[in-house]
Amino acid sequence: MTFWAERNSDSMEYQNSPRGLIVDLLTPLNSDGSIDGHGLGRLLDSIIPYVQGIFIASPQSGEGINLGTQQKVELFAKTLDVIREKVPVFFWVSGDSEKATRDNYSKLNGIVVKRKYRGKIFWVDTPLYYHSNRGLPVYYKEISSIAGRPIILHNNPEFVRGADRPLKRLNIRTSILKEISSIGEIAGMVYSGSLGRVHNYQKACRGRKNFRIYDENEGRFLNYPSMSGVVSLGANLFPGQWQKVTLSSLHISSEEKGYPNYIKQVWESGLFLRKVMEIYDVEPVSILKRILCDKGLIDFPYCTHPSGDIKEPLERLKSIIGH
Amino acid sequence: MIIEQAKEVLIIEAESIMGLVERIGREFESAVDLILKAKGRVIVTGMGKSGLIGRKIVATLNSTGTPSIFLHPAEAIHGDLGMVTHDDIVLALSNSGRTSEINSILPILKEMGIKIISFTGRPDSQMAQLSDITIDVGVEREACPMGLAPTASTTAALAMGDALSVVLINRRSFDLEDFRRFHPGGSLGERLGKKVKEVMLAGDNIPEVQLGTMADEAVREIDSKGIGATFIVDAEKRLKGIITDGDLRRCLLTKKGMIHDLKVEEMMSPAPKTIGENQTTAEALGLMELYSITLLAIVDKQMKVRGVVHLHDVLGGEEFRLNGISKFT
């Protein structure tokens, strides 16, 4: 059955993106920079039981911005082989131009078709990375017809600022989002930015049922949890704790389970996650990869970007987690 | 930092209610119709924080004319379900829609043929599926870390409960007399139950001048008695008219400063509104509301003035607006 046939048979359900914990997966790389397939398998196996979705090749934590097209294709294919439709996959699809993004859609869809993959896949796209606000609704109307799968918008002003492009705006304009969110194939947004802006975004999308807005900022989620969920980098290392906190925050778990000890456990997990986040936040990818490597989950701590001195935070983190 | 955090929490809570405004729809209308048609009570049920919100909704429904009781879901399983009759409607509250105690009693209630309305943040939940009408009270963000204490979600459920109660008031034409009946212990309820003669001004406190008096004298009487008007009576103290602050203003505008040469009968409004001294203050308030006035004359059968009652005397000196319908001038 093709995507279109599937979607027509169960339209809304198919396009609904999940609520809950979405892990911002680190990309295991060999020392030569190629994809570490074994490490990817072990890492995913350790995470899948705890999460509602896996975000692959995210631009910053997943190093998607530094991966070549061929690497992305390889990463996507290997991920589908490991996940085998067990959890929804979020994949960062943006290229550095509109044309490159269209090419990515085409190549990635080719893999989906070739593998006859029937699990849920969502394309995560950072439009302001390669496109201005002007004309975005028209662009998405067109691109959604060739994307083949639902699209999740990605709004991250810090990332767009770092892209070093002559862009006037770092955020999707609220009025533009309102138009885009009316397109059925646009399923939600991964959001980073101010609380005030996300309120405005939520207002703009209220007319759209089941439009998810995930917190990309873990700290924000720990303080004021979005009811859609969180895209968590820390869940690479602490998936169990993140699951506990996310399910509690979203009231997915039963409130009375083990009460009052359950509350205490959730509170302690939250404090722990906040504490470790403050440590790895200085160089998150390098530090977490090093710990995962030490735990034997990935083979190399290789990163596509040079890291600063992480010795001190690494030691602190190791002492806290009793490594 | 503290104030900033407090502001953020309040904004999140306010947003949670604003989010309901755009989602409220036909389901809400159906819920109102269902409750109005029910011969029995509204049985509200919920666990934990939702239970506390449920208890408040019960209190509001009861005080506004919709008989309601709270049913603890855990107690229900152990026998309290017996309090539910076939004529009742059940209102179940659970943000997650997964509260096991509630989901275990709903099938039994359904089997009894009882209609179920649910307030939930998850319209696709098991609780919603077991309900006849589901009202979405989902929020986009909680204001408490890790959802340890539901905050915005309970605020949203509480606000929706208020919306339901207020709409039911209007649909039932809940009036002042009903308010007095349901709030006998409250200061307003107590006051509205009194007779007019218990709150009216009498004797020298009544502002009055006789027919033929010059306007200046009437103005002095209005000013000295301090209730914004004076009655006009004949030699036998029978009520003939009234001059209010409003009459004076209109006279100044139309007579262009010739007011000092006028007699009261040239300025007064004839046939002022009256009420009997044995009627209730609730009835007095009803008349004031009906005619958009603030005072009434109390007269006997011969139309002799016995007293005057002002809006403030009825309400105890405080302005009161029930249901936003006050039009007092």
Side-chain angles (χ1 to χ4, degrees), chain B residues 29-43:
Chain B
E29 288 178 332
S30 304
V32 170
D33 286 343
L34 196 60
I35 293 172
L36 284 170
K37 284 175 189 161
K39 292 175 187 165
R41 304 149 301 173
V42 177
I43 311 287

Side-chain angles (χ1 to χ4, degrees), chain B residues 34-65:
Chain B
L34 196 60
I35 293 172
L36 284 170
K37 284 175 189 161
K39 292 175 187 165
R41 304 149 301 173
V42 177
I43 311 287
V44 183
T45 186
M47 282 293 286
K49 308 286 186 295
S50 295
L52 294 171
I53 297 299
R55 286 182 171 89
K56 194 275 177 184
I57 293 174
V58 165
T60 307
L61 286 170
N62 277 328
S63 62
T64 52

Side-chain angles (χ1 to χ4, degrees), chain A residues 17-18 22 52-56 88-92 122 124 152 214:
Chain A
S17 55
I22 315 296
Q52 282 69 51
I54 312 258
F55 186 10
I56 314 288
V89 172
F90 293 61
F91 195 91
W92 191 58
F122 298 90
V124 182
I152 304 274
Y214 303 100

Side-chain angles (χ1 to χ4, degrees), chain A residues 12 14-18 90 121-127 140 149-155 172 177 180-192 198 201-202 205 208-215 226 228-229 231:
Chain A
M12 285 314 292
Y14 189 83
Q15 290 187 66
N16 283 351
S17 55
F90 293 61
I121 296 172
F122 298 90
W123 304 129
V124 182
D125 184 22
T126 317
Y140 273 113
R149 301 271 156 172
I151 297 170
I152 304 274
L153 303 169
H154 179 226
N155 187 84
I172 299 171
L177 176 64
I180 296 174
S181 66
S182 68
I183 302 169
E185 286 78 6
I186 308 297
M189 170 183 272
V190 173
Y191 177 83
S192 183
V198 78
Y201 281 1
Q202 282 164 346
C205 300
R208 172 69 191 280
K209 207 175 176 186
N210 294 325
F211 188 88
R212 309 279 188 228
I213 298 184
Y214 303 100
D215 279 319
S226 147
S228 292
V231 173

Side-chain angles (χ1 to χ4, degrees), chain A residues 117-171:
Chain A
Y117 193 83
R118 294 183 59 186
K120 279 191 173 185
I121 296 172
F122 298 90
W123 304 129
V124 182
D125 184 22
T126 317
L128 297 193
Y129 180 55
Y130 61 89
H131 198 294
S132 68
N133 270 292
R134 187 187 293 265
L136 265 189
V138 174
Y139 168 69
Y140 273 113
K141 272 178 194 153
E142 189 206 334
I143 208 77
S144 61
S145 66
I146 64 164
R149 301 271 156 172
I151 297 170
I152 304 274
L153 303 169
H154 179 226
N155 187 84
N156 184 327
E158 290 307 312
F159 168 62
V160 173
R161 180 181 286 123
D164 195 25
R165 283 150 209 249
L167 294 168
K168 267 172 84 175
R169 289 184 188 274
L170 304 175
N171 293 286

Side-chain angles (χ1 to χ4, degrees), chain A residues 16-26 47-48 50-56 58 61 87-91 122 124 152 189-190 212-218 221 226 228-236 239 242-243 246-247 250:
Chain A
N16 283 351
S17 55
R19 291 174 75 230
L21 174 60
I22 315 296
V23 62
D24 191 349
L25 197 80
L26 292 162
I47 290 169
I48 285 172
Y50 301 100
V51 299
Q52 282 69 51
I54 312 258
F55 186 10
I56 314 288
S58 72
S61 306
V87 287
V89 172
F90 293 61
F91 195 91
F122 298 90
V124 182
I152 304 274
M189 170 183 272
V190 173
R212 309 279 188 228
I213 298 184
Y214 303 100
D215 279 319
E216 193 180 20
N217 181 330
E218 292 177 322
F221 182 81
S226 147
S228 292
V230 60
V231 173
S232 166
L233 178 60
N236 282 277
W242 267 106
Q243 180 201 40
T246 306
L247 297 188
L250 272 55

Side-chain angles (χ1 to χ4, degrees), chain B residues 24-36 60-61 64-66 119 135 159-174 323:
Chain B
I24 198 165
R26 284 192 172 278
E27 300 81 14
F28 187 88
E29 288 178 332
S30 304
V32 170
D33 286 343
L34 196 60
I35 293 172
L36 284 170
T60 307
L61 286 170
T64 52
T66 303
F119 282 6
I135 296 177
M160 190 61 85
D162 284 346
L164 189 62
S165 303
V166 171
V167 170
L168 285 166
I169 292 178
N170 289 333
R171 293 295 297 269
R172 287 187 199 281
S173 301
F174 191 83
N323 202 17

